[in-house]
Amino acid sequence: MTFSRRVRSLAVPTFYLLLALIALHQPLFNAATHLPGDRVTDYYHFHWNYWWIRHALAHGLDVYQTNYVFFPFVSSTIFHTLAAFWFPLWALIEPLAGTFAAFNAIFTTAITLCGVTFYAFLRYEGVSRGLALMGGAMLALSPLIFFAVHWSMTSLIAWFWLPLALLTWAMIVRARRWPSMLAWAVLMGCTLWTMLITDLQYAVYLAFVIVPYGLWTLIRFPNRIRQGIGGLAAVGVALTLLWFGGTLPALLDADRAGFAPTPPERAVAIPFPLGYVWHTEGGNVPLGAVVLPLATAAFMIALRWRDRPVQTAHSPAWLWGAMLFPPLILSAGASVQVGSVNILMPYTLFHEAFGGLFRYPERFGVLITLTGALFSLKILTAALKDRPPLHKPLALILLFVIAADSRLFGSVAVQPQPPHYETYAQMGREPYEYVVIEVPTGGSSGEGIVGIPEYSALQFYGTVHGKRMINGHLSRVNTGHYWWLRTDDAMMAWLGQRRFLEPDTVAAQLAERVYTYPVGYLLIHSRMIDPYAPTLTEITGFLNAQTDSLCPPTLERDLIAYRTRWHPDGCGTRTPSREIDGTFRIDIGSPDDVRYILSGFYPSEPIFDFRVRWTGGGSSAVVRVDLPPSAYRVMITAQAYAVARMLTLTIENTPLGETAISADALRAYTFTLPADTVGVGRDLDLTLTFDADPLLSAGDQAGDSRVLALMIDSITFSPE
């Protein structure tokens, strides 16, 4: 091969790689800190997918069954999208650069392959080089590709399988000898296998084009028997690989009980009518402004020059034009609204034929792009056959239109990566097998959600700690595996803020599960809980009281981590940090105070340049603390609300004294703690009892319905 031919052979993939790099420039440049998307999504589970494949293979587990999410249930992942085809690329890059860099590599590779494979098939079908280059760009930059990147959906970005399968079939048809035909059949079988382990849905889309294309080639070309045998051999190879590759046995054994199919009227369709001619914004994936206008122009040219032959190479343009209509009709969903008339569409029949599992007719947009581009570009190639100088200007115009329609230079929005916590990394280094309870609790599938997507997204941290967990998202799963979290279970529903606390029931459930699951950690993501509502204070206060089940918590920014009493590494103490002067100080109102507060306090709030907590709504507030053996002078910095109040300080039901708390300023009040009440590893309940009457409302602040008693800034223990 000459140097010029080598350069030319690299030009096409380089062109599509350049398009991919331009389209993904924001995720690529920000890979160290950001990932695609504009908000925290429930699609962190795609990152979990590849961790799970690696973990299952490394530990001899079944890749297609898991209880590492939705514990204690075992869920099938065969209907969930593992996209195993991409695993080798992820496994190569992730240890070196991290999972987000690996995903960027997957996106870049997929976009490039979409362009290259479709270009190759267009060229095989006789489309001119320049127009074929633009056809590849139409597929590579289609709206669904950007949607898939936006949601990290590696299963939905591999549309290159369709033109590749068509091309390998074409090679079977073209083969003149049995050995070459069988070689191509094996290659096509491998293509079908890898396509199906990327996502089962590709088989549905491929059927819409390869069946009519295959029938046409069998009718049009000789050696039908050899071609038929080649097709059967390809299917046989694919099924054999699927069987030994594990997918087919898992698929046959899978239990679909408990699935919640989407009703056809709720299936996500291309927005009608604007989505078919414009790149609309919003939740649904449009078709864009290129395919149908181009197909319409090609149809008008075909009518104008209907006496001229428009067949290029192996198939006529009208064949692809005919293939355009089924996906076009199905992509509109169950019905379309024209004025005041609601027109029912045949998608409902298709939807019911697949048991409601096919819930995104908008994805037919890729088939519309593929068939529409083949029809249009074959027509244009034939029409410009005698006008070679027009090919390059037309291709250039198309490039600008495609780039503008795809918002090529706008790239994909990025969002911050999930916060890193050393707590999770430490859990990952622990050799023990246990369950992690993430708070708020929640879960989801493709149809149904408990909580909000951010609760399910906590599944991402499973890739760091590597333990079983309650929260999670699986695309298609028995909804009972997470729906019980909603309101049925007193403990899990309360931890998800969907049910009021039932103290005795929740305490019993927690004590039982800590040792039977067993639970290693209970972790609270306080950023997901309203800090100005009493919920977080209620959760931490109640959990602090469960000393038979839980250790004192540790804090890492907004993460509150409770190790359980089951944990082999034991518990730490609830001792406040020691100041330079030797005192132990609880800074009430600081994030760290959740380690000590049991009850009676309102959420932290700012007062001038420091933070405090108010007591009220009752007659006492309780703080739990563990101190080294000694006698202590206990100093409470406090101020009464509106009127002076008497405060009695009690430890383990033993009064330490009482004093009047002034309402005019924040002052320090001192009590004496005898040495015989203190011991290492002994949590002490320090109870602040105060006058409850009169109950004074903070109603002078708009919307504040609290009744306030004392403002507490700090509690200091000075050894004597």
Side-chain angles (χ1 to χ4, degrees):
M1 182 184 293
T2 64
F3 178 76
S4 61
R5 292 188 65 184
R6 289 176 182 172
V7 171
R8 184 181 297 177
S9 67
L10 294 175
V12 172
T14 302
F15 172 75
Y16 293 117
L17 175 61
L18 181 61
L19 289 183
L21 295 176
I22 295 173
L24 300 173
H25 67 267
Q26 289 198 60
L28 290 171
F29 291 157
N30 294 279
T33 57
H34 288 70
L35 71 158
D38 56 5
R39 67 182 182 91
V40 175
T41 73
D42 58 340
Y43 281 98
Y44 285 139
H45 73 280
F46 274 88
H47 299 264
W48 177 88
N49 282 348
Y50 299 112
W51 171 85
W52 169 244
I53 294 174
R54 181 172 63 191
H55 184 82
L57 293 175
H59 293 82
L61 303 175
D62 186 350
V63 170
Y64 297 105
Q65 287 191 342
T66 185
N67 64 353
Y68 276 72
V69 292
F70 297 153
F71 186 89
F73 299 96
V74 176
S75 303
S76 171
T77 60
I78 191 62
F79 293 110
H80 173 68
T81 307
L82 291 171
F85 169 76
W86 295 113
F87 172 71
L89 181 58
W90 179 88
L92 177 66
I93 298 175
E94 188 273 342
L96 302 175
T99 188
F100 301 109
F103 267 66
N104 281 325
I106 291 171
F107 300 146
T108 304
T109 303
I111 292 175
T112 304
L113 287 176
C114 284
V116 170
T117 55
F118 194 33
Y119 168 85
F121 186 65
L122 286 165
R123 289 293 294 144
Y124 174 80
E125 281 295 319
V127 176
S128 67
R129 182 173 287 106
L131 294 179
L133 205 62
M134 295 307 102
M138 289 169 64
L139 181 63
L141 301 179
S142 59
L144 190 58
I145 295 291
F146 284 89
F147 175 85
V149 172
H150 181 92
W151 291 94
S152 296
M153 298 177 72
T154 53
S155 64
L156 203 57
I157 200 168
W159 294 100
F160 51 82
W161 292 126
L162 274 62
L164 190 59
L166 290 168
L167 192 58
T168 51
W169 169 252
M171 293 299 102
I172 291 174
V173 173
R174 188 176 180 177
R176 297 182 179 181
R177 298 178 181 274
W178 282 94
S180 60
M181 182 277 292
L182 291 175
W184 283 110
V186 170
L187 182 58
M188 184 176 183
C190 294
T191 299
L192 296 176
W193 171 61
T194 47
M195 177 187 76
L196 290 171
I197 64 171
T198 306
D199 197 310
L200 295 172
Q201 66 181 316
Y202 288 112
V204 177
Y205 299 113
L206 180 61
F208 277 87
V209 288
I210 202 165
V211 170
Y213 184 64
L215 291 175
W216 167 260
T217 53
L218 287 174
I219 294 170
R220 176 68 176 80
F221 294 96
N223 302 318
R224 297 183 185 91
I225 295 177
R226 186 166 62 199
Q227 295 167 20
I229 292 174
L232 292 174
V235 173
V237 169
L239 291 176
T240 301
L241 291 171
L242 285 171
W243 181 266
F244 290 102
T247 309
L248 191 55
L251 186 63
L252 295 174
D253 292 340
D255 183 6
R256 289 175 53 180
F259 281 19
T262 304
E265 61 274 10
R266 285 177 51 194
V268 183
I270 293 177
F272 180 85
L274 193 59
Y276 288 91
V277 292
W278 193 248
H279 198 297
T280 55
E281 304 296 336
N284 295 37
V285 179
L287 186 60
V290 178
V291 181
L292 289 188
L294 186 63
T296 302
F299 180 71
M300 294 174 65
I301 292 172
L303 287 179
R304 173 68 176 82
W305 292 342
R306 58 183 178 273
D307 295 332
R308 299 189 181 189
V310 293
Q311 178 171 333
T312 54
H314 300 289
S315 63
W318 65 260
L319 177 65
W320 299 99
M323 289 189 215
L324 171 64
F325 287 96
L328 184 63
I329 294 169
L330 292 172
S331 67
S335 63
V336 295
Q337 191 79 23
V338 180
S340 60
V341 180
N342 190 52
I343 302 174
L344 297 178
M345 304 296 286
Y347 169 75
T348 300
L349 299 175
F350 179 86
H351 183 88
E352 293 174 352
F354 284 90
L357 295 180
F358 191 95
R359 57 185 185 265
Y360 291 102
E362 64 182 1
R363 296 176 186 176
F364 280 112
V366 173
L367 276 182
I368 298 171
T369 298
L370 191 145
T371 54
L374 274 157
F375 168 72
S376 305
L377 299 178
K378 287 169 80 70
I379 291 287
L380 290 174
T381 297
L384 298 177
K385 185 177 181 180
D386 299 328
R387 297 175 175 81
L390 295 180
H391 282 260
K392 290 182 180 179
L394 180 59
L396 189 60
I397 292 170
L398 272 176
L399 177 60
F400 281 113
V401 173
I402 294 167
D405 181 59
S406 65
R407 300 354 185 216
L408 176 62
F409 294 97
S411 187
V412 179
V414 293
Q415 60 175 313
Q417 291 180 12
H420 170 79
Y421 299 104
E422 181 57 31
T423 300
Y424 283 116
Q426 174 59 38
M427 291 164 60
R429 290 189 288 268
E430 294 177 355
Y432 319 118
E433 290 289 335
Y434 53 77
V435 176
V436 176
I437 298 177
E438 303 276 6
V439 180
T441 55
S444 58
S445 67
E447 183 64 29
I449 184 169
V450 171
I452 60 175
E454 283 78 0
Y455 301 173
S456 302
L458 294 174
Q459 174 180 1
F460 172 79
Y461 290 108
T463 67
V464 182
H465 60 64
K467 314 299 183 184
R468 292 171 175 84
M469 55 194 303
I470 307 294
N471 289 22
H473 176 106
L474 294 178
S475 297
R476 294 175 178 86
V477 73
N478 187 326
T479 54
H481 291 187
Y482 62 88
W483 204 252
W484 67 287
L485 303 171
R486 184 171 175 262
T487 56
D488 294 350
D489 187 89
M491 173 183 161
M492 295 302 180
W494 170 65
L495 290 174
Q497 306 161 73
R498 296 176 294 274
R499 183 166 163 172
F500 291 116
L501 173 63
E502 300 164 47
D504 293 341
T505 302
V506 173
Q509 287 180 317
L510 178 63
E512 189 268 336
R513 287 167 176 168
V514 161
Y515 293 99
T516 58
Y517 275 11
V519 177
Y521 288 85
L522 190 151
L523 301 123
I524 301 171
H525 294 261
S526 61
R527 74 180 188 278
M528 297 183 182
I529 301 174
D530 185 355
Y532 298 105
T535 310
L536 181 59
T537 302
E538 178 186 77
I539 291 174
T540 56
F542 177 81
L543 296 180
N544 284 339
Q546 309 309 306
T547 53
D548 291 338
S549 301
L550 301 175
C551 301
T554 58
L555 281 82
E556 185 179 358
R557 303 193 306 278
D558 60 337
L559 183 69
I560 306 170
Y562 287 88
R563 181 183 285 175
T564 69
R565 292 287 178 179
W566 166 89
H567 199 286
D569 290 346
C571 295
T573 65
R574 206 182 308 261
T575 305
S577 59
R578 194 159 195 165
E579 306 291 321
I580 297 176
D581 60 1
T583 62
F584 299 90
R585 183 172 183 268
I586 301 175
D587 183 1
I588 302 294
S590 71
D592 186 63
D593 72 356
V594 298
R595 302 185 68 239
Y596 312 102
I597 290 174
L598 266 67
S599 62
F601 287 87
Y602 287 112
S604 169
E605 62 181 272
I607 298 292
F608 302 111
D609 58 347
F610 56 95
R611 300 188 69 87
V612 299
R613 286 184 188 258
W614 286 94
T615 66
S619 61
S620 65
V622 184
V623 173
R624 178 162 287 179
V625 66
D626 184 7
L627 297 168
S630 177
Y632 289 91
R633 186 173 70 255
V634 183
M635 185 173 65
I636 299 176
T637 307
Q639 180 180 349
Y641 181 72
V643 297
R645 295 180 184 272
M646 291 301 296
L647 170 66
T648 301
L649 189 64
T650 304
I651 187 163
E652 301 297 318
N653 299 318
T654 301
L656 300 182
E658 65 176 9
T659 188
I661 306 297
S662 169
D664 60 356
L666 193 66
R667 304 179 188 277
Y669 302 89
T670 303
F671 302 83
T672 299
L673 178 60
D676 59 1
T677 61
V678 181
V680 174
R682 179 184 177 190
D683 280 342
L684 305 174
D685 285 350
L686 202 67
T687 304
L688 293 76
T689 305
F690 41 82
D691 290 339
D693 294 318
L695 293 176
L696 299 177
S697 171
D700 56 328
Q701 302 180 38
D704 194 340
S705 60
R706 296 176 300 169
V707 290
L708 305 179
L710 302 177
M711 178 176 68
I712 310 294
D713 176 50
S714 65
I715 303 175
T716 303
F717 303 89
S718 302
E720 293 187 341

